[in-house]
Amino acid sequence: MRLISDLHVHSRFSRAVSKDMTLPVMHRWADYKGIGLVGTGDFTHPTWFAEMQQKLVEVKPGLYQLGGVHFVLGAEVNC
């Protein structure tokens, strides 16, 4: 099985990211580009996390879905 993923993603709550970076837009572009698994980015941001809880459906522990695209919670760690 071939799986194309993009795990380095930022939400619209991150600096220098488009305010249009919403879950439906991420889903639409991932689907268009053939990406089956997308990281959510910035999952520790309270407003973004609440939005994810509202729009994503958990299909397996730690694996969420919107339409035909799967999502995993993600955040960037900077040392």
Side-chain angles (χ1 to χ4, degrees):
M1 178 179 145
R2 183 175 171 189
L3 176 65
I4 299 172
S5 62
D6 184 354
L7 302 178
H8 190 153
V9 175
H10 292 281
S11 73
R12 69 181 183 280
F13 298 101
S14 187
R15 286 199 286 174
V17 175
S18 170
K19 298 301 175 199
D20 294 331
M21 188 69 132
T22 63
L23 291 166
V25 169
M26 292 166 73
H27 162 264
R28 186 172 351 136
W29 279 101
D31 192 46
Y32 176 76
K33 294 179 176 189
I35 298 171
L37 179 65
V38 179
T40 61
D42 309 318
F43 85 91
T44 58
H45 190 283
T47 306
W48 184 235
F49 189 72
E51 190 173 319
M52 288 186 286
Q53 287 179 309
Q54 185 180 63
K55 295 191 175 169
L56 298 178
V57 176
E58 188 170 29
V59 293
K60 290 184 180 179
L63 185 65
Y64 302 87
Q65 189 171 8
L66 178 62
V69 176
H70 289 90
F71 289 82
V72 292
L73 299 181
E76 186 172 1
V77 177
N78 190 358
C79 299

